[in-house]
Amino acid sequence: MKINTDDKTVVKDYFNAIGFDRWQNIYGNGKVNKVQEDIRFGHQQTINTVLEWLKLDGNLSGLIICDAGCGVGSLSIPLAKEGAIVSASDISEKMVTEAKRKAENILGKTNNINFYVQDLEKLKGSFHTIICLDVLIHYPTDNAAKMINHLASLTNCRIILSFAPKTFYLTVLKKIGEFFPGPSKTTRAYQHSQDNIVQTLKQNGFKIQRKGMTSTKFYYSQIIEAIKE
């Protein structure tokens, strides 16, 4: 499977350079502007929703989980704190380095979380649960479907995804944003049809278990949990 090199290179270079400082602040406790503060709040809501779903099942301790596109560990660290065995990867070496630092500060030395630098399409292993949050926004529809196919092949149990939904309002908002470019702003942003995502999951033998939506002024994320039929 081959992901569009241009998109992947843009994402990798961005999060290893000027984008790292921006998103490290947003995901952490750094000083941010009002828009970034809103995005921080929205992203944390998505994290909280997924954690709530997993905790409701009552079997999080010892569960083998892959956090694909882990960023600075916003989800991986609380999962490990709950006793899950976490394999956390990201395309950005700087993001992974920061995630390791945060994990050591919060958890100390632990054997139940492993961070490493890896492209999504090159992930290997077998996991109970695959989680991929706020990553599909960086890739166009065809490549997103290929990534979902690959992630689905790594689990016989469950996959949880979040993505920017394709709606008229968000399309207009995105167009407006393109009039105000900035080098530290963002990578290419792709919206995805919920129907297309659901169809791809069904083609891989999964059925929808739960859905959620995070919606703030500047952050929109559709969350889907699917389990193997």
Side-chain angles (χ1 to χ4, degrees), residues 99-153:
K100 287 180 180 178
R101 185 194 67 79
K102 288 179 64 178
E104 288 179 1
N105 287 342
I106 295 172
L107 303 173
K109 296 294 182 179
T110 178
N111 294 323
N112 67 320
I113 187 169
N114 177 40
F115 291 101
Y116 57 100
V117 181
Q118 187 63 276
D119 297 348
L120 260 66
E121 69 270 23
K122 294 180 180 177
L123 286 176
K124 297 180 180 179
S126 179
F127 307 95
H128 178 281
T129 298
I130 298 278
I131 303 173
C132 186
L133 301 183
D134 293 351
V135 174
L136 296 179
I137 193 172
H138 301 301
Y139 299 100
T141 300
D142 289 346
N143 289 338
K146 292 176 183 178
M147 283 195 290
I148 294 172
N149 290 340
H150 179 60
L151 294 176
S153 74

Side-chain angles (χ1 to χ4, degrees), residues 3-17 91 119 121 138-139 187-188:
I3 298 300
N4 184 292
T5 302
D6 288 341
D7 283 304
K8 187 168 68 173
T9 300
V10 167
V11 171
K12 184 176 182 179
D13 291 348
Y14 175 76
F15 283 105
N16 274 324
I91 195 173
D119 297 348
E121 69 270 23
H138 301 301
Y139 299 100
T187 60
R188 299 165 183 166

Side-chain angles (χ1 to χ4, degrees), residues 164-199:
K166 193 169 187 177
T167 66
F168 176 77
Y169 174 73
L170 289 185
T171 299
V172 171
L173 192 65
K174 179 175 179 291
K175 289 294 183 182
I176 293 173
E178 290 172 356
F179 285 106
F180 304 93
S184 67
K185 189 176 181 182
T186 186
T187 60
R188 299 165 183 166
Y190 296 97
Q191 300 162 255
H192 298 285
S193 162
Q194 181 178 211
D195 290 342
N196 288 345
I197 298 292
V198 169
Q199 183 63 27

Side-chain angles (χ1 to χ4, degrees), residues 6-76:
D6 288 341
D7 283 304
K8 187 168 68 173
T9 300
V10 167
V11 171
K12 184 176 182 179
D13 291 348
Y14 175 76
F15 283 105
N16 274 324
I18 195 166
F20 170 75
D21 293 330
R22 177 180 188 260
W23 289 99
Q24 180 193 26
N25 285 338
I26 290 175
Y27 293 152
N29 297 313
K31 187 177 180 180
V32 292
N33 59 39
K34 292 295 184 181
V35 173
Q36 292 169 335
E37 185 178 18
D38 181 82
I39 294 171
R40 174 192 286 171
F41 177 73
H43 177 72
Q44 188 58 51
Q45 278 192 315
T46 295
I47 296 292
N48 292 344
T49 295
V50 173
L51 286 171
E52 180 182 351
W53 287 354
L54 295 173
K55 289 178 182 179
L56 283 173
D57 291 340
N59 63 342
L60 191 50
S61 181
L63 212 62
I64 300 175
I65 297 176
C66 174
D67 184 7
C70 65
V72 295
S74 302
L75 176 65
S76 298

